[in-house]
């Protein structure tokens, strides 16, 4: 009987018909593997059966890592046990039989357990049964390999389940850096390592932001994206496993030196977003037991996809919140109530008292008195400011469209209803709905509006389902609703429902002290888009503004200041810029002598028109020529024909 048998020969041995009893024994080992609850239970049963089969005092599996250790054992080895036979089996990758002071030793390598050897030893162990032990060892190793696969599948399933649980928790995190800290902590626990860090890649700035950067003040660390292990990962898009960090020249020891921590090994994988783009890196440091494996890299990559999606959502949410806050601040600035009159002071007080409530409000006043601005002030200074303010001009909608716009419609409700449409009430849910020109709403629309105000539900056109809505309604009109009620053009019950609180907005002519503050406000507002420095009104212009009757109220004043900001060539607005607007019946040719002949009058008009064009362009002759529809050379030629001074040195 040879002293050793190459492990590759086991199949020819087990196929020998005279070894039927051994085949039955191997089947019992396989059955024990299937019935065992875990690997240690299989080891216990299998080693006991092997010991009985080979009359061994001790059986076991020894594993060599940095030194020999017992992976599983039945019976007790003598204290002076010689591992020579076991070492020989591992070195030769063969089944080996050996003899010693404590009996014979049979040994066969078990690659499924790493650098491991199955052995049986004792005074009654028969060395001639080495071929049989080779077969048993191979079956034992195959059972172990199957158990390893099962454990891998169990670990993978457990990790995937844990990843899904983390995805649910991550989705609730609203801030980016707390999310990164939480993700790193959970990853370290899941992957059984000391620490974890996540690096976000700022490609524009060519840098990486690490969070958490443990041992660093503030918990954040900024690194160039061209250096180190993390830099290699984000640029290559491939995982990197480092078994000995201090032996890798890419590893930066300065962080360890600063924190007093020692990095032994690490795993770094690219952080991939749901679109497949690398957005950073995920790093694990110091595996608790053993080294990082390919399975660890795969699991960390899967977790990274979840983390990157949560980070993207948190970043988008942060951006949306920031944009919303900026828009809210801008809207709050735009709805500033300008004026120094007693009426405006009273209005500001009324708004401050009504804004926190949900009372329906009816705004009355002439066209252009600022009813929508007051409605916005009520919205943005109240608890609904974070939700929508939706305005509807009832006068601009036909009766057939009004109900669809307000309450929405179902697909197929009418000829052009190609899709379901949410109405203004649904769009304003949680916020404010401003109904301008409410007096022009149809009686059918009034009936539905009353139902919404009383029951807080709407029904889409063509639908039957009641949809709850939470909307504050502010209505406005320049009509006399009491007269409309008496003429049965407006429902009395709706009037009383809307007019729980009524605010009358006085026309601008009744508060003349507000004219100049409003004019200055609008002029300053329009100077920026016009590319102008702040303009001022001459004393004559101010006097003209105060003297005007303002039939168009604030809207008329706003439009005038917009025209002045864009068209007036001087920084101090002269009264002439306001004359035609404030007195539209004035003759624009009044400064031309009516006794002049047609040719001379035409020349005078052309001279005046060219002068004003040059003034508006601030002396820029090219721009003046374009405004007149001429080439610059043609403008100079025309000016010479009209005996006007020409300075061709001007731009």
């Amino acid at each position: 009987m040879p002293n050793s048998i190459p492990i590759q020969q086991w199949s020819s041995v087990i196929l020998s018909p005279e070894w039927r009893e051994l085949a039955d024994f191997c089947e019992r080992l396989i059955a024990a593997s299937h019935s065992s609850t875990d690997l240690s239970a299989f080891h216990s049963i299998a080693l006991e059966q092997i010991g009985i089969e080979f009359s061994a005092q001790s059986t076991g599996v020894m594993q060599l890592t940095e030194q020999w250790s017992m992976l599983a054992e039945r019976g007790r080895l003598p204290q002076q046990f010689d591992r020579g036979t076991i070492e020989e089996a591992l070195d030769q990758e063969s089944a080996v039989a050996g003899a010693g002071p404590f009996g014979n030793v049979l040994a066969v390598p078990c690659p499924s357990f790493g650098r491991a050897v199955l052995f049986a030893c004792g005074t009654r162990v028969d060395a001639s049964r080495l071929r049989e032990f080779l077969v048993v060892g191979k079956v034992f190793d195959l059972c172990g390999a199957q158990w390893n696969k099962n454990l891998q599948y169990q670990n993978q399933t457990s990790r995937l389940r844990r990843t899904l649980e983390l995805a649910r928790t991550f989705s609730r995190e609203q801030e980016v850096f707390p999310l990164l800290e939480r993700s790193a902590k959970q990853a370290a626990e899941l992957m059984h390592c000391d620490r974890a860090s996540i690096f976000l890649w700022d490609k524009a700035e060519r840098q990486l932001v690490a969070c958490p950067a443990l041992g660093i003040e503030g918990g954040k660390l900024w690194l160039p994206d061209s250096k180190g292990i993390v830099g290699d990962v984000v640029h290559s898009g491939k995982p990197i496993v480092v078994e000995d960090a201090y032996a890798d020249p890419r590893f930066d020891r300065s962080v360890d030196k600063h924190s007093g921590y020692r990095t032994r090994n690490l795993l770094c994988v690219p952080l991939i977003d749901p679109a497949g783009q690398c957005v950073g890196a995920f790093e694990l440091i110091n595996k608790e037991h053993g080294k990082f494996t390919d399975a660890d890299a795969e699991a960390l990559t899967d977790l990274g996809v979840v983390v990157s999606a949560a980070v993207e959502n948190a970043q988008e949410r942060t951006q949306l919140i920031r944009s919303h806050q900026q828009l809210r601040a801008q809207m709050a600035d735009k709805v500033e109530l300008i004026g120094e009159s007693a009426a405006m002071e009273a209005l500001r007080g009324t708004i401050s008292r009504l804004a926190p409530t949900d009372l329906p409000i009816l705004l009355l006043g002439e066209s252009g008195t600022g009813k929508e601005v007051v409605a916005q002030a009520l919205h943005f200074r109240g608890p609904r400011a974070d939700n929508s303010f939706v305005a509807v001009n009832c006068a601009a909608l036909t009766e057939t469209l009004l109900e669809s716009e307000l309450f929405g419609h179902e697909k197929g409700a009418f000829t052009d209803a190609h899709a379901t449409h949410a109405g203004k009430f649904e769009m304003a849910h949680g916020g404010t709905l401003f109904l301008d020109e409410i007096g022009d709403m149809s009686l059918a629309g009034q009936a539905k509006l009353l139902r919404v105000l009383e029951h807080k539900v709407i029904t889409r056109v063509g639908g039957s389902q009641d949809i709850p809505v939470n909307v504050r309604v502010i209505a406005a009109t320049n009509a006399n609703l009491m007269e409309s009620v008496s003429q049965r053009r407006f429902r009395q019950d709706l009037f009383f429902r809307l007019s729980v609180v009524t605010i009358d907005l006085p026309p601008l002519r009744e508060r003349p002290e507000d004219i100049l503050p409003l004019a200055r406000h609008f002029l300053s507002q329009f100077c920026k888009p016009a590319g102008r420095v702040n303009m001022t009104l001459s004393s004559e212009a101010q006097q003209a503004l105060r003297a005007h009757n303002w039939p168009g109220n604030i809207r008329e004043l706003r439009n005038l200041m917009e025209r002045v900001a864009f068209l007036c060539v001087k920084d101090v607005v002269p009264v002439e810029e306001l004359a035609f607007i404030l007195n539209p019946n004035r003759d624009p040719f009044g400064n031309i002598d009516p006794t002049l002949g047609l040719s001379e009058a035409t020349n005078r008009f052309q001279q005046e028109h060219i002068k004003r064009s040059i003034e508006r362009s601030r002396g820029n002759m090219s721009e003046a020529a374009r405004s007149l529809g001429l080439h610059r050379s043609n403008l100079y030629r025309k000016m010479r024909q009209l005996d006007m001074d020409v300075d061709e040195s001007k731009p």
Side-chain angles (χ1 to χ4, degrees):
M1 187 70 184
N3 224 19
S4 66
I5 302 174
I7 198 168
Q8 293 86 354
Q9 295 183 13
W10 78 276
S11 58
S12 61
V13 174
I14 198 170
L15 293 177
S16 302
E18 63 269 20
W19 287 39
R20 179 57 57 190
E21 290 185 6
L22 182 64
D24 292 340
F25 175 75
C26 291
E27 288 180 0
R28 291 197 299 273
L29 280 185
I30 295 172
S33 173
H34 291 163
S35 62
S36 299
T37 56
D38 55 39
L39 185 59
S40 61
F42 166 67
H43 281 164
S44 178
I45 295 171
L47 292 177
E48 182 178 3
Q49 291 183 1
I50 292 171
I52 294 171
E53 176 67 22
F54 290 91
S55 304
Q57 293 173 312
S58 177
T59 55
V61 180
M62 296 192 74
Q63 185 181 51
L64 178 62
T65 51
E66 295 180 358
Q67 59 185 6
W68 285 99
S69 62
M70 192 69 71
L71 192 64
E73 181 182 15
R74 178 196 169 277
R76 295 184 63 84
L77 282 174
Q79 290 184 351
Q80 304 301 321
F81 178 73
D82 184 7
R83 291 193 303 269
T85 302
I86 294 173
E87 292 173 347
E88 184 180 351
L90 185 63
D91 291 340
Q92 296 184 10
E93 296 184 355
S94 302
V96 176
F102 304 103
N104 291 327
V105 179
L106 302 178
V108 62
C110 292
S112 66
F113 299 103
R115 303 186 68 193
V117 176
L118 171 69
F119 69 89
C121 70
T123 57
R124 291 188 295 168
V125 171
D126 186 354
S128 66
R129 299 187 66 187
L130 181 60
R131 284 184 179 274
E132 298 173 65
F133 194 73
L134 167 64
V135 173
V136 170
K138 187 60 179 178
V139 172
F140 179 86
D141 187 54
L142 289 174
C143 291
Q146 188 60 48
W147 265 106
N148 286 337
K149 287 184 179 179
N150 292 341
L151 288 174
Q152 290 177 4
Y153 293 147
Q154 291 174 10
N155 291 336
Q156 186 177 20
T157 301
S158 176
R159 283 177 172 177
L160 288 174
R161 185 181 296 110
R162 182 63 177 148
T163 299
L164 290 175
E165 293 173 358
L166 293 177
R168 286 193 289 270
T169 60
F170 292 162
S171 65
R172 295 193 291 268
E173 194 68 59
Q174 299 177 353
E175 300 293 334
V176 174
F177 284 102
L179 169 62
L180 295 178
E181 291 176 352
R182 184 173 183 175
S183 302
K185 180 180 179 181
Q186 296 287 355
E189 293 177 2
L190 179 64
M191 306 298 293
H192 304 292
C193 62
D194 283 357
R195 296 182 176 184
S197 288
I198 298 174
F199 299 80
L200 294 185
W201 192 9
D202 186 344
K203 296 182 182 179
E205 298 296 328
R206 301 185 62 81
Q207 67 179 7
L208 294 156
V209 183
C211 182
L214 301 176
I216 302 299
E217 185 178 355
K220 298 179 187 177
L221 180 64
W222 283 263
L223 304 168
D225 69 356
S226 58
K227 295 183 179 180
I229 295 169
V230 179
D232 282 359
V233 168
V234 297
H235 284 291
S236 69
K238 296 179 180 179
I240 291 178
V241 177
V242 177
E243 295 184 358
D244 185 352
Y246 279 64
D248 194 309
R250 296 169 297 181
F251 180 71
D252 183 3
R253 304 185 187 186
S254 61
V255 176
D256 277 11
K257 185 177 180 180
H258 177 80
S259 63
Y261 183 79
R262 181 175 178 85
T263 301
R264 302 189 312 274
N265 52 29
L266 63 85
L267 165 65
C268 188
V269 304
L271 192 63
I272 306 297
D273 68 8
Q277 299 297 314
C278 180
V279 295
F282 211 150
E283 184 181 68
L284 302 179
I285 299 174
N286 288 357
K287 182 83 169 178
E288 291 177 0
H289 303 289
K291 300 175 182 179
F292 289 108
T293 64
D294 291 342
D296 292 329
E298 182 179 355
L300 187 61
T301 301
D302 292 340
L303 180 60
V305 174
V306 173
V307 172
S308 64
V311 168
E312 183 178 351
N313 291 338
Q315 289 175 329
E316 288 181 356
R317 185 181 185 279
T318 301
Q319 183 61 40
L320 286 173
I321 290 174
R322 187 179 296 115
S323 299
H324 176 74
Q325 291 173 341
Q326 291 173 348
L327 287 173
R328 180 180 174 182
Q330 291 172 4
M331 289 304 300
D333 291 340
K334 286 183 179 179
V335 298
E336 183 182 3
L337 299 175
I338 306 298
E340 303 169 355
S341 64
M344 286 303 298
E345 289 295 335
L347 179 60
R348 279 191 280 265
T350 300
I351 289 173
S352 65
R353 292 191 300 273
L354 293 176
T357 74
D358 272 344
L359 293 172
I361 295 174
L362 180 62
L363 302 175
L364 303 175
E366 295 179 7
S367 179
T369 51
K371 295 186 287 296
E372 184 168 353
V373 173
V374 172
Q376 290 175 341
L378 288 164
H379 172 77
F380 286 106
R381 296 178 189 181
R384 295 176 177 267
D386 287 332
N387 295 310
S388 300
F389 175 88
V390 179
V392 180
N393 186 349
C394 299
L397 298 172
T398 63
E399 181 176 347
T400 54
L401 288 177
L402 182 63
E403 292 185 30
S404 173
E405 283 297 307
L406 288 180
F407 311 117
H409 63 254
E410 298 290 348
K411 181 179 180 181
F414 46 85
T415 303
D416 294 327
H418 301 300
T420 299
H421 169 70
K424 302 298 185 185
F425 267 97
E426 290 181 73
M427 293 170 61
H429 182 72
T432 301
L433 181 65
F434 175 59
L435 299 175
D436 199 9
E437 304 300 343
I438 188 71
D440 293 331
M441 182 180 285
S442 67
L443 289 172
Q446 293 175 32
K448 287 195 174 184
L449 176 59
L450 180 62
R451 178 175 179 265
V452 174
L453 293 177
E454 291 180 342
H455 301 290
K456 310 292 186 185
V457 295
I458 63 164
T459 304
R460 292 175 180 163
V461 176
S464 58
Q465 182 181 3
D466 287 342
I467 302 174
V469 290
N470 174 18
V471 174
R472 182 184 193 179
V473 174
I474 300 176
T477 183
N478 58 10
N480 187 334
L481 282 190
M482 284 298 295
E483 183 178 337
S484 298
V485 169
S486 65
Q487 296 175 359
R488 299 184 181 278
R489 290 187 288 105
F490 199 85
R491 293 179 63 105
Q492 185 179 44
D493 47 4
L494 178 59
F495 172 74
F496 289 134
R497 192 72 178 80
L498 290 173
S499 60
V500 173
V501 177
T502 301
I503 299 177
D504 283 295
L505 302 184
L508 187 56
R509 61 183 174 274
E510 293 183 6
R511 44 191 182 101
E513 56 266 58
D514 294 338
I515 294 173
L516 292 182
L518 282 166
R520 296 188 186 101
H521 170 75
F522 290 134
L523 195 58
S524 174
Q525 186 181 72
F526 288 117
C527 278
K528 185 174 181 180
R532 304 286 299 271
V533 296
N534 286 337
M535 303 171 69
T536 58
L537 296 162
S538 67
S539 57
E540 295 83 1
Q542 294 180 32
Q543 184 177 356
L545 291 174
R546 283 194 295 263
H548 187 56
N549 195 41
W550 300 108
N553 290 295
I554 300 173
R555 185 181 292 118
E556 181 185 358
L557 177 58
R558 181 183 183 277
N559 292 342
L560 172 61
M561 293 300 103
E562 184 176 15
R563 173 193 177 279
V564 167
F566 279 91
L567 298 180
C568 182
V569 298
K570 300 177 180 178
D571 292 333
V572 179
V573 181
V575 70
E576 292 80 12
E577 290 290 338
L578 312 178
F580 179 70
I581 297 296
L582 299 182
N583 185 14
N585 295 322
R586 183 179 68 88
D587 181 4
F589 303 102
N591 61 340
I592 297 178
D593 186 351
T595 63
L596 293 175
L598 180 60
S599 178
E600 183 64 22
T602 301
N603 289 343
R604 292 280 184 89
F605 177 80
Q606 290 182 356
Q607 289 173 351
E608 183 67 23
H609 191 54
I610 290 173
K611 286 179 181 178
R612 292 177 67 84
S613 296
I614 295 172
E615 288 178 356
R616 286 194 179 93
S617 64
R618 302 182 184 182
N620 188 312
M621 299 302 292
S622 297
E623 186 175 335
R626 280 194 298 270
S627 69
L628 292 168
L630 300 172
H631 292 293
R632 179 171 169 171
S633 59
N634 293 338
L635 175 58
Y636 285 138
R637 187 180 302 111
K638 187 64 177 177
M639 291 175 66
R640 292 189 186 97
Q641 291 174 359
L642 296 171
D643 294 328
M644 298 175 66
D645 293 334
V646 176
D647 183 2
E648 296 192 20
S649 64
K650 290 185 177 181

